[in-house]
Short mmCIF file of all heavy atoms in Angstrom, two decimals:
data_model
loop_
_atom_site.label_atom_id
_atom_site.label_comp_id
_atom_site.label_asym_id
_atom_site.label_seq_id
_atom_site.Cartn_x
_atom_site.Cartn_y
_atom_site.Cartn_z
N ALA A 931 129.91 -32.63 117.84
CA ALA A 931 129.89 -34.10 117.79
C ALA A 931 130.97 -34.67 118.68
O ALA A 931 130.74 -35.66 119.40
CB ALA A 931 130.08 -34.57 116.35
N CYS A 932 132.14 -34.07 118.67
CA CYS A 932 133.24 -34.55 119.52
C CYS A 932 132.89 -34.40 121.00
O CYS A 932 133.21 -35.27 121.81
CB CYS A 932 134.52 -33.78 119.20
SG CYS A 932 135.26 -34.23 117.62
N ARG A 933 132.23 -33.30 121.34
CA ARG A 933 131.84 -33.10 122.73
C ARG A 933 130.89 -34.21 123.19
O ARG A 933 131.06 -34.78 124.28
CB ARG A 933 131.15 -31.74 122.90
CG ARG A 933 130.78 -31.41 124.34
CD ARG A 933 130.03 -30.10 124.45
NE ARG A 933 128.70 -30.19 123.83
CZ ARG A 933 127.64 -30.74 124.41
NH1 ARG A 933 127.75 -31.29 125.62
NH2 ARG A 933 126.48 -30.76 123.79
N LEU A 934 129.92 -34.55 122.33
CA LEU A 934 128.98 -35.61 122.68
C LEU A 934 129.66 -36.98 122.72
O LEU A 934 129.33 -37.82 123.56
CB LEU A 934 127.82 -35.63 121.68
CG LEU A 934 126.88 -34.42 121.73
CD1 LEU A 934 125.79 -34.56 120.68
CD2 LEU A 934 126.28 -34.25 123.11
N LEU A 935 130.60 -37.21 121.81
CA LEU A 935 131.32 -38.48 121.82
C LEU A 935 132.09 -38.65 123.13
O LEU A 935 132.12 -39.75 123.71
CB LEU A 935 132.29 -38.56 120.63
CG LEU A 935 131.65 -38.76 119.26
CD1 LEU A 935 132.71 -38.65 118.17
CD2 LEU A 935 130.95 -40.12 119.17
N VAL A 936 132.70 -37.58 123.61
CA VAL A 936 133.45 -37.64 124.86
C VAL A 936 132.51 -37.80 126.05
O VAL A 936 132.73 -38.63 126.94
CB VAL A 936 134.33 -36.38 125.03
CG1 VAL A 936 134.93 -36.32 126.44
CG2 VAL A 936 135.45 -36.38 123.99
N GLU A 937 131.45 -37.00 126.07
CA GLU A 937 130.55 -36.99 127.23
C GLU A 937 129.65 -38.21 127.32
O GLU A 937 129.36 -38.70 128.41
CB GLU A 937 129.69 -35.71 127.19
CG GLU A 937 130.47 -34.43 127.42
CD GLU A 937 129.58 -33.20 127.37
OE1 GLU A 937 128.37 -33.35 127.09
OE2 GLU A 937 130.10 -32.09 127.61
N GLN A 938 129.21 -38.71 126.16
CA GLN A 938 128.20 -39.77 126.17
C GLN A 938 128.72 -41.14 125.73
O GLN A 938 128.07 -42.15 126.01
CB GLN A 938 127.03 -39.37 125.28
CG GLN A 938 126.32 -38.09 125.71
CD GLN A 938 125.15 -37.72 124.82
OE1 GLN A 938 124.76 -38.49 123.94
NE2 GLN A 938 124.58 -36.55 125.03
N HIS A 939 129.86 -41.17 125.04
CA HIS A 939 130.32 -42.45 124.48
C HIS A 939 131.78 -42.77 124.81
O HIS A 939 132.38 -43.63 124.16
CB HIS A 939 130.13 -42.44 122.96
CG HIS A 939 128.71 -42.21 122.52
ND1 HIS A 939 127.76 -43.20 122.58
CD2 HIS A 939 128.10 -41.09 122.05
CE1 HIS A 939 126.60 -42.70 122.13
NE2 HIS A 939 126.78 -41.44 121.81
N GLY A 940 132.32 -42.09 125.80
CA GLY A 940 133.69 -42.38 126.20
C GLY A 940 134.72 -42.14 125.12
O GLY A 940 135.79 -42.76 125.11
N GLY A 941 134.40 -41.24 124.19
CA GLY A 941 135.32 -40.92 123.11
C GLY A 941 135.29 -41.90 121.95
O GLY A 941 136.05 -41.77 121.00
N GLU A 942 134.40 -42.91 122.04
CA GLU A 942 134.30 -43.92 120.98
C GLU A 942 133.12 -43.61 120.06
O GLU A 942 132.12 -43.03 120.47
CB GLU A 942 134.11 -45.31 121.60
CG GLU A 942 135.24 -45.76 122.50
CD GLU A 942 136.55 -45.94 121.74
OE1 GLU A 942 136.50 -46.45 120.59
OE2 GLU A 942 137.61 -45.58 122.29
N VAL A 943 133.25 -44.03 118.80
CA VAL A 943 132.17 -43.86 117.83
C VAL A 943 131.14 -44.96 118.04
O VAL A 943 131.49 -46.15 118.02
CB VAL A 943 132.70 -43.90 116.38
CG1 VAL A 943 131.56 -43.80 115.38
CG2 VAL A 943 133.72 -42.78 116.16
N PRO A 944 129.87 -44.61 118.26
CA PRO A 944 128.85 -45.63 118.50
C PRO A 944 128.58 -46.47 117.26
O PRO A 944 128.84 -46.05 116.13
CB PRO A 944 127.61 -44.81 118.88
CG PRO A 944 127.83 -43.47 118.27
CD PRO A 944 129.32 -43.25 118.32
N ARG A 945 128.02 -47.65 117.47
CA ARG A 945 127.81 -48.62 116.39
C ARG A 945 126.35 -48.72 115.95
O ARG A 945 126.00 -49.62 115.19
CB ARG A 945 128.29 -50.00 116.83
CG ARG A 945 129.74 -50.05 117.27
CD ARG A 945 130.09 -51.41 117.82
NE ARG A 945 130.10 -52.43 116.80
CZ ARG A 945 131.20 -52.91 116.22
NH1 ARG A 945 132.39 -52.44 116.58
NH2 ARG A 945 131.13 -53.84 115.31
N THR A 946 125.50 -47.81 116.42
CA THR A 946 124.09 -47.86 116.03
C THR A 946 123.72 -46.62 115.23
O THR A 946 124.27 -45.53 115.45
CB THR A 946 123.16 -47.96 117.25
OG1 THR A 946 123.22 -46.73 117.98
CG2 THR A 946 123.56 -49.13 118.13
N ARG A 947 122.75 -46.79 114.33
CA ARG A 947 122.29 -45.68 113.52
C ARG A 947 121.73 -44.55 114.39
O ARG A 947 122.00 -43.37 114.17
CB ARG A 947 121.22 -46.15 112.54
CG ARG A 947 120.62 -45.02 111.70
CD ARG A 947 119.45 -45.48 110.86
NE ARG A 947 119.82 -46.58 110.00
CZ ARG A 947 120.50 -46.45 108.87
NH1 ARG A 947 120.91 -45.24 108.49
NH2 ARG A 947 120.79 -47.50 108.14
N GLU A 948 120.93 -44.92 115.38
CA GLU A 948 120.28 -43.92 116.22
C GLU A 948 121.31 -43.04 116.92
O GLU A 948 121.19 -41.81 116.95
CB GLU A 948 119.38 -44.60 117.25
CG GLU A 948 118.17 -45.33 116.67
CD GLU A 948 118.52 -46.64 115.99
OE1 GLU A 948 119.62 -47.19 116.25
OE2 GLU A 948 117.69 -47.13 115.20
N ALA A 949 122.33 -43.65 117.48
CA ALA A 949 123.36 -42.89 118.20
C ALA A 949 124.18 -42.04 117.25
O ALA A 949 124.55 -40.90 117.57
CB ALA A 949 124.26 -43.84 118.98
N LEU A 950 124.48 -42.57 116.07
CA LEU A 950 125.24 -41.80 115.09
C LEU A 950 124.45 -40.59 114.61
O LEU A 950 124.97 -39.48 114.54
CB LEU A 950 125.62 -42.69 113.90
CG LEU A 950 126.73 -43.70 114.15
CD1 LEU A 950 126.80 -44.71 113.01
CD2 LEU A 950 128.07 -42.99 114.31
N GLU A 951 123.18 -40.80 114.29
CA GLU A 951 122.37 -39.70 113.76
C GLU A 951 122.04 -38.67 114.83
O GLU A 951 121.59 -37.56 114.51
CB GLU A 951 121.10 -40.25 113.13
CG GLU A 951 121.36 -41.01 111.83
CD GLU A 951 120.08 -41.42 111.11
OE1 GLU A 951 119.00 -40.90 111.45
OE2 GLU A 951 120.17 -42.26 110.21
N ALA A 952 122.28 -38.99 116.08
CA ALA A 952 122.08 -38.02 117.16
C ALA A 952 123.25 -37.04 117.25
O ALA A 952 123.16 -36.03 117.95
CB ALA A 952 121.90 -38.74 118.50
N LEU A 953 124.33 -37.32 116.53
CA LEU A 953 125.50 -36.44 116.54
C LEU A 953 125.28 -35.29 115.55
O LEU A 953 124.81 -35.51 114.44
CB LEU A 953 126.76 -37.21 116.14
CG LEU A 953 127.16 -38.38 117.05
CD1 LEU A 953 128.32 -39.14 116.43
CD2 LEU A 953 127.52 -37.88 118.45
N PRO A 954 125.62 -34.06 115.93
CA PRO A 954 125.46 -32.92 115.02
C PRO A 954 126.24 -33.12 113.72
O PRO A 954 127.37 -33.60 113.73
CB PRO A 954 126.06 -31.76 115.83
CG PRO A 954 125.90 -32.16 117.24
CD PRO A 954 126.11 -33.65 117.26
N GLY A 955 125.59 -32.81 112.61
CA GLY A 955 126.24 -32.93 111.31
C GLY A 955 126.22 -34.32 110.73
O GLY A 955 126.70 -34.54 109.61
N VAL A 956 125.67 -35.28 111.46
CA VAL A 956 125.62 -36.66 110.99
C VAL A 956 124.19 -37.00 110.59
O VAL A 956 123.32 -37.17 111.44
CB VAL A 956 126.12 -37.65 112.07
CG1 VAL A 956 126.00 -39.09 111.56
CG2 VAL A 956 127.56 -37.33 112.44
N GLY A 957 123.94 -37.08 109.29
CA GLY A 957 122.64 -37.48 108.79
C GLY A 957 122.62 -38.95 108.42
O GLY A 957 123.56 -39.70 108.74
N ARG A 958 121.58 -39.35 107.75
CA ARG A 958 121.40 -40.76 107.41
C ARG A 958 122.54 -41.27 106.51
O ARG A 958 123.06 -42.36 106.71
CB ARG A 958 120.06 -40.97 106.72
CG ARG A 958 119.74 -42.43 106.43
CD ARG A 958 118.37 -42.63 105.82
NE ARG A 958 118.07 -44.04 105.65
CZ ARG A 958 117.54 -44.82 106.58
NH1 ARG A 958 117.24 -44.31 107.76
NH2 ARG A 958 117.30 -46.10 106.36
N LYS A 959 122.93 -40.46 105.53
CA LYS A 959 123.98 -40.91 104.61
C LYS A 959 125.31 -41.10 105.33
O LYS A 959 125.99 -42.12 105.13
CB LYS A 959 124.15 -39.89 103.47
CG LYS A 959 125.14 -40.34 102.40
CD LYS A 959 125.22 -39.34 101.25
CE LYS A 959 125.94 -38.09 101.65
NZ LYS A 959 126.18 -37.18 100.51
N THR A 960 125.68 -40.14 106.17
CA THR A 960 126.93 -40.26 106.91
C THR A 960 126.90 -41.48 107.83
O THR A 960 127.88 -42.23 107.92
CB THR A 960 127.19 -38.99 107.74
OG1 THR A 960 127.33 -37.88 106.86
CG2 THR A 960 128.45 -39.12 108.58
N ALA A 961 125.79 -41.67 108.51
CA ALA A 961 125.66 -42.84 109.39
C ALA A 961 125.79 -44.13 108.60
O ALA A 961 126.46 -45.08 109.05
CB ALA A 961 124.31 -42.80 110.11
N ASN A 962 125.18 -44.17 107.43
CA ASN A 962 125.27 -45.38 106.60
C ASN A 962 126.71 -45.68 106.18
O ASN A 962 127.12 -46.83 106.15
CB ASN A 962 124.39 -45.22 105.35
CG ASN A 962 122.93 -45.52 105.61
OD1 ASN A 962 122.59 -46.19 106.58
ND2 ASN A 962 122.06 -45.03 104.75
N VAL A 963 127.46 -44.63 105.85
CA VAL A 963 128.87 -44.84 105.47
C VAL A 963 129.65 -45.44 106.64
O VAL A 963 130.40 -46.41 106.47
CB VAL A 963 129.53 -43.53 105.01
CG1 VAL A 963 131.03 -43.73 104.79
CG2 VAL A 963 128.89 -43.02 103.73
N VAL A 964 129.49 -44.87 107.82
CA VAL A 964 130.23 -45.36 108.99
C VAL A 964 129.83 -46.79 109.33
O VAL A 964 130.69 -47.65 109.59
CB VAL A 964 130.02 -44.42 110.19
CG1 VAL A 964 130.66 -45.01 111.45
CG2 VAL A 964 130.59 -43.04 109.91
N LEU A 965 128.54 -47.06 109.32
CA LEU A 965 128.06 -48.41 109.63
C LEU A 965 128.59 -49.43 108.63
O LEU A 965 128.94 -50.55 108.99
CB LEU A 965 126.53 -48.43 109.64
CG LEU A 965 125.86 -47.67 110.79
CD1 LEU A 965 124.36 -47.59 110.56
CD2 LEU A 965 126.16 -48.33 112.14
N ASN A 966 128.67 -49.02 107.38
CA ASN A 966 129.13 -49.95 106.33
C ASN A 966 130.65 -50.11 106.34
O ASN A 966 131.16 -51.22 106.44
CB ASN A 966 128.66 -49.44 104.96
CG ASN A 966 129.16 -50.30 103.82
OD1 ASN A 966 130.23 -50.05 103.27
ND2 ASN A 966 128.39 -51.31 103.46
N VAL A 967 131.35 -48.99 106.24
CA VAL A 967 132.81 -49.04 106.07
C VAL A 967 133.52 -49.46 107.35
O VAL A 967 134.44 -50.29 107.33
CB VAL A 967 133.33 -47.68 105.58
CG1 VAL A 967 134.85 -47.69 105.49
CG2 VAL A 967 132.72 -47.32 104.23
N ALA A 968 133.09 -48.91 108.47
CA ALA A 968 133.78 -49.20 109.73
C ALA A 968 133.32 -50.49 110.38
O ALA A 968 134.12 -51.23 110.97
CB ALA A 968 133.58 -48.04 110.71
N PHE A 969 132.00 -50.78 110.27
CA PHE A 969 131.44 -51.90 111.02
C PHE A 969 130.90 -53.02 110.14
O PHE A 969 130.34 -54.00 110.65
CB PHE A 969 130.34 -51.40 111.95
CG PHE A 969 130.82 -50.34 112.93
CD1 PHE A 969 130.16 -49.13 113.04
CD2 PHE A 969 131.93 -50.58 113.72
CE1 PHE A 969 130.61 -48.16 113.94
CE2 PHE A 969 132.39 -49.62 114.62
CZ PHE A 969 131.73 -48.41 114.74
N GLY A 970 131.06 -52.90 108.82
CA GLY A 970 130.70 -53.99 107.91
C GLY A 970 129.24 -54.29 107.78
O GLY A 970 128.85 -55.40 107.41
N GLN A 971 128.39 -53.32 108.10
CA GLN A 971 126.95 -53.54 107.98
C GLN A 971 126.50 -53.27 106.53
O GLN A 971 127.03 -52.39 105.86
CB GLN A 971 126.19 -52.64 108.95
CG GLN A 971 126.48 -52.94 110.41
CD GLN A 971 125.61 -52.12 111.35
OE1 GLN A 971 124.52 -51.69 111.01
NE2 GLN A 971 126.10 -51.92 112.57
N PRO A 972 125.50 -54.02 106.04
CA PRO A 972 125.04 -53.87 104.65
C PRO A 972 124.12 -52.68 104.46
O PRO A 972 122.94 -52.82 104.11
CB PRO A 972 124.32 -55.20 104.39
CG PRO A 972 123.77 -55.57 105.72
CD PRO A 972 124.80 -55.13 106.73
#
Side-chain angles (χ1 to χ4, degrees):
C932 287
R933 184 184 68 79
L934 292 180
L935 288 173
V936 170
E937 292 180 357
Q938 300 181 8
H939 302 283
E942 299 295 321
V943 177
R945 303 174 69 100
T946 68
R947 177 187 303 282
E948 293 75 19
L950 286 168
E951 290 187 14
L953 299 173
V956 178
R958 185 177 184 86
K959 185 177 73 172
T960 297
N962 279 340
V963 173
V964 174
L965 291 171
N966 177 270
V967 176
F969 302 127
Q971 296 186 25

